[in-house]
Each structure stands twice: as C-alpha cells, then as structure tokens.
Amino acid sequence: MSSSAAGGRLSIVATPIGNLADLTARAQNVLAAADLVAAEDTRHSARLLQHLGLSKPLLALHDHNERDRVGRILSALDEGRHVALISDAGTPLISDPGYIVVREARKAGHEVSPVPGACALVAALSAAGLPTDRFLFAGFLPAKRSGRRSALAELREQVATLVFYESPHRILDLMQDVLDEFGPERECVLGRELTKAFETFYSGSVEEVLAQLQADPNGTRGEFVVMVRGNDEMPDASGNLDADALLKLLVAEMPVKKAAKIVAEVSGLKKNELYQRALQLKGD
Ligand code: SAM
C-alpha cells in the first residue's frame, strides 16, 4: 500500500453488476471504515449500504456534477478522511464517473487505492471464448447512427477483440451497424444480464447473433456487453501451410464450397477468397 503525503485516503470500490454475492469481503470492510461515500445515485447506493447494515454520509457524484463535487471530496481528504467512491454497478470510472476525482486526489498527494471486484467487460470477456490476449474496450458508442457508424468504421481493421457497452433499446441498431460495417461473418459474442437470473450469451457470426436476438422475446431486455472478434484473419496466419496446395488437393476430392471452408479453418484465410480461388482451380 502506498503512503500518502497529504493524509487523506480515497478508495475506489467495485460493487456488484447484478449479483449481490459478488461484493467482496474487502469492499464491505472498506465501506464500513469509510467516513464518506461518494456515489453515482445516492438512493441506489443507500440500498446497498442498508443491505450491508451500514449507515454512511453519502455524496452524489455523477457525470453532470463531478467538477463541482471534486472540491467537497478534496476537502474531506485534506482533513485526513477516508472517502470511498462507488458507482451504481461494477467498477467506478469504467464508463462511470470518478476520473476527475481520482486525478485531482492523486495530484493533491492523497492515497488512491483500488478495491477491485466486478466489472461487466471483464466478466463478459472471461466467459466469451474470444481472444483475450489483446482487447480494446470502446465503452458506449455514440447514440446517433452516423456517429456510431464512423466509430465502427475506425475500428474495422483492429486486430484486438472489441468490447462495447450498450443499452437494451439500442442493441439491435448497434448490431445492425456492426453487420453493415464489419460484414455478416465476423464472429461476435453478446453477454446479457451477467451474474443475474437471466444471464444469457449469444454467439456466432454477427448475422447469426442478430437473428438470435430478434428471435428471443427477451433479446432486447437487460444490460449488454457486445464483443466482436478483431480483424485477425491475417494472410500469414497459416504459418508455413501452403493453403493453395491444400486447396488444390481438396477440390479434387470434394465440392469447392466444402474445400474452401476447410482451408479457411486451418489457414485463417478468408472463406470467400478461397472459394473464388477454388472455383478457378476446379476450372483449370
Ligand atoms: N462500471 C460498470 C462496470 O464495471 O462494468 C459499467 C457501468 S456502465 C454505466 C453500464 C453498462 O455496463 C451497461 O449499459 C451494460 O452495457 C454494462 N453492464 C453492466 N452490468 C451488466 C450486466 N450485469 N450484464 C451485462 N452488461 C452489464
């Protein structure tokens, strides 16, 4: 634990994203020890504290008043108090308020310490079955279609797995835009209502996942994490494999579509391109 020159202590405390049992024992201890709790929605957080049998002074801190509230929090820290920062769900600062407070508290020399726990993006990625060695968290994309489309266009060639947050009323629009920008075949996984009673994962190509959502009466309810596989089908993904030679062998034995599919799977090359090449080879 780092020592603080200025005397105050700011704890950034993760709270559950749906399942109350996910609150850590340490989070509970830190909340019990805090002099002041800065919370996004004080009514919501009062219920959590009540559930823990705690009664604490609460200070509302949301996106619209964060700049004004920094002064109050810094004064409490300057007096040597212990402030806990929580958000409505999960880890503060992850698509949630707190950035200005953390930055200013650090600048003023106070101890700022994380109390880690639930975070929807990490929970979703951990169970999605998509590559996690590199990922790019883009939070909420713009609400307007034009802004969303250009944000997606910028991410189209990203090799890292892409992770987005989305609200239920925009999920179908987002998926349609992902389909339009990335094509129907890009692999994706959606995590809905994670850690809750109706937790659901939808996975497959973008086209398939969109169809699953449309077919599910609950498909536009609840909270979503959208994960899209990066554009990692590199031409050299096949290592030393001679994809063309393999394709030549296979088209002699089976339908071109099947041959292209197999070679795409083992080589990482694009199925459509291999299909065109297979047609060519068949004609030769
Ligand atoms: N700070 C939070 C965290 O650590 O994940 C995220 C806060 S952000 C305002 C809320 C968004 O997170 C939701 O719109 C949804 O995209 C995602 N989210 C939060 N809880 C979730 C859950 N239980 N299942 C799926 N997504 C969730």
Tab-separated table of all heavy atoms in Angstrom, residues 92-114:
chain	number	residue	atom	x	y	z
A	92	PRO	N	-16.010	1.664	-10.559
A	92	PRO	CA	-16.095	3.088	-10.885
A	92	PRO	C	-15.079	3.458	-11.963
A	92	PRO	O	-14.041	2.780	-12.112
A	92	PRO	CB	-15.728	3.770	-9.555
A	92	PRO	CG	-16.090	2.783	-8.507
A	92	PRO	CD	-15.788	1.436	-9.120
A	93	LEU	N	-15.375	4.499	-12.709
A	93	LEU	CA	-14.532	5.014	-13.811
A	93	LEU	C	-14.615	4.196	-15.101
A	93	LEU	O	-14.170	4.635	-16.148
A	93	LEU	CB	-13.046	5.165	-13.420
A	93	LEU	CG	-12.679	6.430	-12.660
A	93	LEU	CD1	-12.935	6.267	-11.169
A	93	LEU	CD2	-11.227	6.817	-12.891
A	94	ILE	N	-15.148	2.973	-15.023
A	94	ILE	CA	-15.298	2.182	-16.247
A	94	ILE	C	-16.678	2.523	-16.803
A	94	ILE	O	-17.694	2.018	-16.298
A	94	ILE	CB	-15.149	0.663	-15.973
A	94	ILE	CG1	-13.813	0.370	-15.280
A	94	ILE	CG2	-15.266	-0.141	-17.271
A	94	ILE	CD1	-12.561	0.795	-16.044
A	95	SER	N	-16.703	3.451	-17.774
A	95	SER	CA	-17.960	4.035	-18.294
A	95	SER	C	-18.803	4.578	-17.143
A	95	SER	O	-20.023	4.489	-17.158
A	95	SER	CB	-18.762	3.018	-19.111
A	95	SER	OG	-18.074	2.678	-20.278
A	96	ASP	N	-18.166	5.086	-16.146
A	96	ASP	CA	-18.809	5.647	-14.965
A	96	ASP	C	-18.002	6.833	-14.458
A	96	ASP	O	-16.815	6.955	-14.779
A	96	ASP	CB	-18.861	4.579	-13.842
A	96	ASP	CG	-20.166	3.786	-13.876
A	96	ASP	OD1	-21.136	4.282	-14.470
A	96	ASP	OD2	-20.196	2.691	-13.310
A	97	PRO	N	-18.631	7.699	-13.623
A	97	PRO	CA	-17.896	8.867	-13.124
A	97	PRO	C	-16.726	8.501	-12.196
A	97	PRO	O	-16.658	7.376	-11.714
A	97	PRO	CB	-18.952	9.649	-12.341
A	97	PRO	CG	-20.229	8.951	-12.499
A	97	PRO	CD	-20.004	7.634	-13.149
A	98	GLY	N	-15.855	9.492	-11.960
A	98	GLY	CA	-14.770	9.325	-10.987
A	98	GLY	C	-13.409	9.756	-11.496
A	98	GLY	O	-12.489	9.997	-10.707
A	99	TYR	N	-13.276	9.885	-12.810
A	99	TYR	CA	-11.961	10.185	-13.395
A	99	TYR	C	-11.368	11.486	-12.835
A	99	TYR	O	-10.207	11.535	-12.431
A	99	TYR	CB	-12.106	10.249	-14.926
A	99	TYR	CG	-10.942	10.882	-15.634
A	99	TYR	CD1	-9.714	10.242	-15.692
A	99	TYR	CD2	-11.071	12.128	-16.249
A	99	TYR	CE1	-8.634	10.826	-16.341
A	99	TYR	CE2	-10.018	12.713	-16.904
A	99	TYR	CZ	-8.798	12.071	-16.942
A	99	TYR	OH	-7.742	12.658	-17.582
A	100	ILE	N	-12.195	12.546	-12.779
A	100	ILE	CA	-11.670	13.848	-12.335
A	100	ILE	C	-11.287	13.764	-10.853
A	100	ILE	O	-10.231	14.253	-10.441
A	100	ILE	CB	-12.710	14.973	-12.573
A	100	ILE	CG1	-13.091	15.016	-14.052
A	100	ILE	CG2	-12.172	16.318	-12.127
A	100	ILE	CD1	-14.260	15.936	-14.377
A	101	VAL	N	-12.112	13.079	-10.074
A	101	VAL	CA	-11.839	12.948	-8.638
A	101	VAL	C	-10.513	12.208	-8.414
A	101	VAL	O	-9.658	12.654	-7.634
A	101	VAL	CB	-12.992	12.192	-7.928
A	101	VAL	CG1	-12.625	11.845	-6.501
A	101	VAL	CG2	-14.259	13.019	-7.958
A	102	VAL	N	-10.338	11.101	-9.110
A	102	VAL	CA	-9.115	10.303	-8.932
A	102	VAL	C	-7.892	11.121	-9.347
A	102	VAL	O	-6.878	11.174	-8.645
A	102	VAL	CB	-9.201	8.990	-9.749
A	102	VAL	CG1	-7.848	8.297	-9.836
A	102	VAL	CG2	-10.232	8.058	-9.113
A	103	ARG	N	-8.018	11.801	-10.446
A	103	ARG	CA	-6.889	12.580	-10.962
A	103	ARG	C	-6.503	13.689	-9.981
A	103	ARG	O	-5.334	13.877	-9.650
A	103	ARG	CB	-7.315	13.171	-12.303
A	103	ARG	CG	-6.175	13.523	-13.174
A	103	ARG	CD	-6.604	13.837	-14.579
A	103	ARG	NE	-5.553	14.569	-15.234
A	103	ARG	CZ	-4.460	13.997	-15.705
A	103	ARG	NH1	-4.308	12.704	-15.637
A	103	ARG	NH2	-3.513	14.717	-16.262
A	104	GLU	N	-7.524	14.407	-9.513
A	104	GLU	CA	-7.250	15.536	-8.614
A	104	GLU	C	-6.742	15.043	-7.250
A	104	GLU	O	-5.876	15.664	-6.653
A	104	GLU	CB	-8.505	16.402	-8.440
A	104	GLU	CG	-8.926	17.116	-9.715
A	104	GLU	CD	-7.845	18.033	-10.277
A	104	GLU	OE1	-7.192	18.740	-9.488
A	104	GLU	OE2	-7.638	18.016	-11.515
A	105	ALA	N	-7.282	13.944	-6.769
A	105	ALA	CA	-6.830	13.415	-5.468
A	105	ALA	C	-5.366	12.990	-5.557
A	105	ALA	O	-4.572	13.247	-4.646
A	105	ALA	CB	-7.711	12.237	-5.050
A	106	ARG	N	-5.021	12.376	-6.663
A	106	ARG	CA	-3.612	11.981	-6.864
A	106	ARG	C	-2.709	13.206	-6.938
A	106	ARG	O	-1.643	13.255	-6.330
A	106	ARG	CB	-3.453	11.197	-8.170
A	106	ARG	CG	-3.855	9.766	-8.057
A	106	ARG	CD	-3.228	8.906	-9.151
A	106	ARG	NE	-3.433	7.521	-8.794
A	106	ARG	CZ	-2.658	6.848	-7.951
A	106	ARG	NH1	-1.595	7.418	-7.414
A	106	ARG	NH2	-2.929	5.607	-7.644
A	107	LYS	N	-3.171	14.199	-7.686
A	107	LYS	CA	-2.392	15.421	-7.855
A	107	LYS	C	-2.135	16.083	-6.509
A	107	LYS	O	-1.060	16.616	-6.252
A	107	LYS	CB	-3.169	16.381	-8.770
A	107	LYS	CG	-2.314	16.956	-9.900
A	107	LYS	CD	-3.006	18.116	-10.554
A	107	LYS	CE	-3.703	17.702	-11.832
A	107	LYS	NZ	-4.472	18.795	-12.430
A	108	ALA	N	-3.156	16.018	-5.637
A	108	ALA	CA	-3.034	16.656	-4.315
A	108	ALA	C	-2.213	15.800	-3.344
A	108	ALA	O	-1.997	16.187	-2.202
A	108	ALA	CB	-4.425	16.914	-3.743
A	109	GLY	N	-1.779	14.626	-3.789
A	109	GLY	CA	-0.892	13.808	-2.957
A	109	GLY	C	-1.607	12.853	-2.017
A	109	GLY	O	-0.992	12.296	-1.105
A	110	HIS	N	-2.908	12.640	-2.222
A	110	HIS	CA	-3.628	11.703	-1.361
A	110	HIS	C	-3.418	10.271	-1.847
A	110	HIS	O	-3.143	10.039	-3.021
A	110	HIS	CB	-5.125	12.025	-1.360
A	110	HIS	CG	-5.419	13.355	-0.762
A	110	HIS	ND1	-5.232	13.624	0.582
A	110	HIS	CD2	-5.842	14.517	-1.324
A	110	HIS	CE1	-5.546	14.882	0.821
A	110	HIS	NE2	-5.912	15.452	-0.322
A	111	GLU	N	-3.615	9.354	-0.926
A	111	GLU	CA	-3.508	7.940	-1.300
A	111	GLU	C	-4.780	7.539	-2.059
A	111	GLU	O	-5.883	7.779	-1.569
A	111	GLU	CB	-3.372	7.105	-0.029
A	111	GLU	CG	-3.277	5.633	-0.307
A	111	GLU	CD	-3.364	4.814	0.980
A	111	GLU	OE1	-2.967	5.304	2.055
A	111	GLU	OE2	-3.860	3.694	0.895
A	112	VAL	N	-4.601	6.972	-3.250
A	112	VAL	CA	-5.758	6.492	-4.015
A	112	VAL	C	-5.551	5.002	-4.240
A	112	VAL	O	-4.521	4.590	-4.782
A	112	VAL	CB	-5.886	7.215	-5.377
A	112	VAL	CG1	-7.109	6.720	-6.129
A	112	VAL	CG2	-5.958	8.723	-5.191
A	113	SER	N	-6.516	4.221	-3.801
A	113	SER	CA	-6.291	2.785	-3.805
A	113	SER	C	-7.509	2.031	-4.358
A	113	SER	O	-8.643	2.330	-3.982
A	113	SER	CB	-6.014	2.398	-2.350
A	113	SER	OG	-5.715	1.055	-2.250
A	114	PRO	N	-7.293	1.058	-5.247
A	114	PRO	CA	-8.443	0.316	-5.794
A	114	PRO	C	-8.874	-0.830	-4.878
A	114	PRO	O	-8.034	-1.472	-4.241
A	114	PRO	CB	-7.884	-0.253	-7.101
A	114	PRO	CG	-6.419	-0.451	-6.833
A	114	PRO	CD	-6.003	0.607	-5.828
